[in-house]
Amino acid sequence: MTEWQLQDAKNRFSAVVDAALERGPQYVTRRGKPAVVVLAVEEYERLRRAEKADAPTFVEMLLAMPQDDGEFERWPMKIRDVDF
């Protein structure tokens, strides 16, 4: 893991980009704490595809709902008064 302080990353941005392309993600810190990661577009796109592949579709979520017509426990709540 290569770590850059923000000021160094700003001053040597081309080097940060080159390092991200050649060696992988480059971590940038601000005031000693992790702030951002610079990575190659190919790696970013790979991560996005993996994220989408793991996410269930809307249809899958609907089909995963309980199908047993079971009762759901209601929370005890006071019904508010309404004037008509």
Side-chain angles (χ1 to χ4, degrees):
M1 169 175 87
T2 304
E3 197 170 278
W4 302 76
Q5 292 179 359
L6 180 59
Q7 190 63 41
D8 294 336
K10 287 193 314 188
N11 292 335
R12 301 188 56 218
F13 188 67
S14 291
V16 174
V17 171
D18 289 341
L21 292 171
E22 295 169 10
R23 296 188 304 271
Q26 303 296 300
Y27 295 82
V28 180
T29 62
R30 177 188 279 171
R31 297 184 191 101
K33 297 180 181 176
V36 298
V37 177
V38 178
L39 52 101
V41 171
E42 293 83 13
E43 179 68 6
Y44 173 76
E45 293 298 332
R46 185 189 68 75
L47 292 170
R48 293 282 300 191
R49 283 191 305 274
E51 179 183 44
K52 287 180 182 177
D54 289 340
T57 66
F58 181 65
V59 171
E60 290 170 337
M61 289 172 55
L62 287 176
L63 292 173
M65 291 178 62
Q67 302 289 321
D68 60 359
D69 294 330
E71 293 291 322
F72 291 96
E73 182 180 336
R74 292 182 177 252
W75 288 354
M77 300 179 112
K78 180 182 174 197
I79 298 175
R80 63 186 172 124
D81 294 328
V82 179
D83 291 330
F84 288 104

